[in-house]
Amino acid sequence: MDGISIKATSKINLGLDIIGKRDDGYHIIDMVLQELDWSDEVVIRKYMFSAEDDALFPDSNRLLKKSRYFVQGNIVLRTIPAEADEYYTLQDGAFDGLDDDERNLAYEAARLMCDTYDIKEKISIEIRKKNPMGAGMGGGSADAAAVIKGINELFELGATEAELEAIGIKLGADVPFCIRGGCARVGGIGEKMETIPSFNNVHVLIVKPDFGLNTGKMYQLCDEIENPIHPDIDSIVSGCRDNDLEKLCANLANMMEQPKTESQAVILDIKERLKQAGAKGALLTGSGSAVFGLFDDESAVREAYDTMLGFAQDNNMTMFITRFKGE
């Protein structure tokens, strides 16, 4: 096998609680993550350089922004931004800040896999980017997870899911979940996972403002809250296990909504608009800035999209419809 294509699916947080901080500075979390049927496509190939390639990349260590290629050692990375289609409103400049160098988590994942398993062959990674950046939907983590799984399969390494998750946690708290997928309660610093049955037939409307929120800064602001309100994660899990959307939506909560930031008013406004448009519940996902609304009917989520379209376009927001994955 010379190549493989992997779907890098995004996620949302149905609940996010911060319950402590370790001595090394990592936060201890308790959250419920749900995989979405919305993904980048990551294509990985065993790529052998030709004479033409050597002429294009003479030092094997160049970032060519025009073609969005990055070459470092035995790894070639290319990113291709997505285009909008039906029920997908893409904001102007949505992918302008995309890291296509050694800061890209997909590259870091490939480098880590090569170092761990002593892979010397050339590897070509092409990411067809659809997951929004700076949204709190795990786009970069999903790409990294896809690379980890893809290299394991492409090179027939035989690593178990648990072994791949142990590699993933070195890259970020969401990466192990993105390797596993489905729905799960996630604890510790992201390494503890309890699989939960996914809902049936839940539709999602994502609205992302034209700004991102820095994850580290949001955790810092949460640390400074004097009397934080902690989400009821147990009730969220119970709602999922009972396949009770009303119960789930009544308990949706994310501590990242509590800091008083300039963006808070925008986030709360989007939440309220989603509810007025018919969402059973709405919440900021991860550290933001995307907000999701949950619907139990496909026609209802499409009507909400139409209702929100003018608002999204006027404010240069990304908006799209998806659904829970892993049902």
Side-chain angles (χ1 to χ4, degrees), residues 181-192:
C183 183
R185 184 173 190 167
V186 179
I189 59 171
E191 81 285 5
K192 298 178 181 178

Side-chain angles (χ1 to χ4, degrees), residues 16-81:
L16 193 161
D17 192 13
I18 302 170
I19 59 178
K21 190 175 183 180
R22 304 194 320 187
D23 292 340
D24 59 9
Y26 284 96
H27 287 82
I28 303 169
I29 52 179
D30 188 10
M31 57 187 181
V32 179
L33 299 181
Q34 171 64 53
E35 183 182 17
L36 298 179
D37 189 19
W38 185 267
S39 61
D40 296 342
E41 183 181 6
V42 179
V43 180
I44 307 172
R45 300 181 180 92
K46 294 180 180 178
Y47 185 97
M48 300 307 294
F49 280 137
S50 66
E52 289 78 11
D53 294 321
D54 289 334
L56 184 60
F57 306 114
D59 58 1
S60 292
N61 185 16
R62 294 183 61 195
L63 171 62
L64 303 181
K65 292 184 178 180
K66 185 175 182 180
S67 59
R68 305 191 75 91
Y69 274 100
F70 173 72
V71 181
Q72 183 78 285
N74 65 320
I75 299 169
V76 181
L77 174 68
R78 182 190 187 200
T79 56
I80 304 174

Side-chain angles (χ1 to χ4, degrees), residues 9 11 29 31 33 35 105 138 140-142 144-146 148-149 160-182 184-195:
T9 50
K11 60 82 183 174
I29 52 179
M31 57 187 181
L33 299 181
E35 183 182 17
L105 273 183
S141 296
I148 290 171
K149 292 189 293 183
T160 65
E161 186 176 75
E163 289 171 336
L164 298 181
E165 290 171 1
I167 291 172
I169 194 62
K170 298 176 182 179
L171 298 168
D174 290 337
V175 180
F177 171 78
C178 290
I179 290 172
R180 182 176 300 192
R185 184 173 190 167
V186 179
I189 59 171
E191 81 285 5
K192 298 178 181 178
M193 281 187 287
E194 174 191 357
T195 298

Side-chain angles (χ1 to χ4, degrees), residues 99-175:
D99 289 330
D100 46 8
D101 55 19
E102 68 273 5
R103 296 169 298 175
N104 190 303
L105 273 183
Y107 168 78
E108 291 186 34
R111 180 80 276 142
L112 187 55
M113 288 294 286
C114 288
D115 292 345
T116 301
Y117 293 99
D118 195 29
I119 298 171
K120 305 297 186 184
E121 291 183 65
K122 300 292 185 183
I123 298 176
S124 170
I125 301 169
E126 180 176 275
I127 303 174
R128 298 164 186 173
K129 194 71 184 166
K130 194 174 182 181
N131 286 324
M133 298 168 53
M137 297 179 64
S141 296
D143 292 341
V147 168
I148 290 171
K149 292 189 293 183
I151 290 178
N152 181 54
E153 186 172 345
L154 184 61
F155 288 90
E156 300 179 344
L157 302 176
T160 65
E161 186 176 75
E163 289 171 336
L164 298 181
E165 290 171 1
I167 291 172
I169 194 62
K170 298 176 182 179
L171 298 168
D174 290 337
V175 180

